[in-house]
């Protein structure tokens, strides 16, 4: 598999600036056209309005310049307020939470990722999370990128599989938490989708007859 990945958008910062910015997220625990991706309460990774399940063996590239942190206020299933900034900046200041916010202001972290292998190849998604387990997973990923950048600035992009783990809560039963399983690190440079011999590299055809769960 080629280890070159390109992301939408131009004029990205220098890779050398990543390490300090990404490590700052440890103290806290998209582009137009992207979909929202999340892990649901049953432990399935899903995306989009139809809550389509992520393909098991798909690979996703994390945009190392996309990490943000800040605050969000949720009402009854709707966002009442949100303020996010890049992790290179301090947490934003917020005033009193909206009166209808069920839990006031909650700390949130997020990032962008792109499917590079599987039937959803080419799709970009946004992942934002407020749960303790989710924020911890993003924090660990950010620190892993920072460590990689310290060692090799030419390959700052983690290519991951979206996995899960769980623990048993005394009151709520089985609780699932995300895992970003790093397969390799890749370059930010553009990559060909097809090798010269005609074999697909970063883009695969959908498996015929495969059924996908919609929640």
């Amino acid at each position: 598999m080629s280890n070159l990945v390109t992301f939408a958008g131009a004029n990205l910062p220098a890779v050398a600036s990543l390490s300090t910015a990404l490590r700052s997220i440890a103290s806290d625990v998209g582009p137009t056209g992207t979909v929202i991706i999340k892990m649901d309460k049953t432990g399935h990774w899903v995306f989009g309005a139809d809550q389509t399940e992520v393909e098991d063996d798909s690979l996703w590239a994390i945009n190392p310049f996309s990490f943000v942190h800040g605050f969000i206020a949720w009402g009854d299933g709707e966002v009442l307020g949100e303020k996010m900034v890049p992790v290179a900046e301090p947490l934003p200041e917020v005033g009193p939470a909206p009166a209808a916010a069920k839990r006031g202001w909650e700390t949130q972290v997020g990032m962008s990722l792109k499917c590079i292998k599987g039937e959803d190849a080419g799709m970009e998604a946004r992942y934002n999370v407020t749960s303790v387990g989710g924020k911890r997973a993003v924090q660990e990923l950010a620190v892993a990128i920072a460590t990689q950048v310290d060692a090799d600035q030419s390959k700052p992009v983690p290519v991951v599989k979206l996995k899960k783990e769980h623990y048993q809560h005394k009151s709520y039963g089985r609780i699932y938490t995300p895992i970003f399983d790093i397969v390799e690190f890749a370059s930010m440079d553009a990559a060909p989708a097809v090798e010269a011999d005609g074999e697909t590299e970063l883009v695969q055809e959908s498996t015929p007859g495969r059924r996908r769960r919609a929640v």
Side-chain angles (χ1 to χ4, degrees):
M1 175 180 173
S2 174
N3 59 4
L4 303 177
V5 180
T6 183
F7 293 97
N11 301 319
L12 292 172
V15 173
S17 66
L18 274 173
S19 181
T20 300
L22 288 170
R23 289 188 188 281
S24 70
I25 201 172
S27 64
D28 300 332
V29 149
T32 301
T34 60
V35 299
I36 301 299
I37 194 168
K38 66 179 182 180
M39 175 174 285
D40 67 16
K41 293 181 179 179
T42 64
H44 292 89
W45 282 97
V46 296
F47 64 83
D50 294 332
Q51 301 291 273
T52 304
E53 187 177 350
V54 169
E55 187 181 8
D56 287 341
D57 294 328
S58 59
L59 294 179
W60 296 75
I62 309 298
N63 185 340
F65 295 104
S66 67
F67 285 78
V68 294
H69 61 174
F71 301 95
I72 188 169
W74 282 93
D76 188 10
E78 62 178 342
V79 176
L80 301 178
E82 185 176 27
K83 192 168 186 180
M84 306 292 290
V85 297
V87 294
E89 302 177 15
L91 280 168
E93 295 184 3
V94 291
K102 290 184 173 296
R103 292 182 294 272
W105 289 112
E106 298 180 83
T107 304
Q108 179 177 249
V109 297
M111 62 188 183
S112 295
L113 57 164
K114 179 178 182 178
C115 184
I116 61 169
K117 183 178 181 181
E119 61 186 81
D120 300 309
M123 182 179 73
E124 297 200 28
R126 184 79 201 162
Y127 177 70
N128 290 330
V129 65
T130 59
S131 69
V132 173
K135 288 189 289 187
R136 183 181 297 115
V138 173
Q139 170 195 327
E140 291 173 353
L141 177 61
V143 172
I145 299 173
T147 300
Q148 167 68 14
V149 169
D150 287 342
D152 182 4
Q153 294 183 13
S154 70
K155 295 181 179 180
V157 179
V159 176
V160 306
K161 288 186 176 181
L162 303 180
K163 296 187 175 181
K164 64 185 177 184
E165 60 185 358
H166 70 270
Y167 64 92
Q168 200 68 23
H169 191 278
K170 188 184 304 181
S171 302
Y172 302 110
R174 179 171 291 189
I175 303 295
Y176 290 94
T177 57
I179 295 177
F180 300 101
D181 183 20
I182 299 175
V183 175
E184 64 176 331
F185 281 91
S187 167
M188 292 288 294
D189 298 330
V194 180
E195 295 282 313
D197 60 6
E199 292 183 1
T200 301
E201 185 62 25
L202 293 185
V203 180
Q204 290 186 341
E205 294 297 326
S206 301
T207 303
R210 180 174 180 270
R211 296 181 65 187
R212 304 186 69 186
R213 169 182 176 272
V215 179

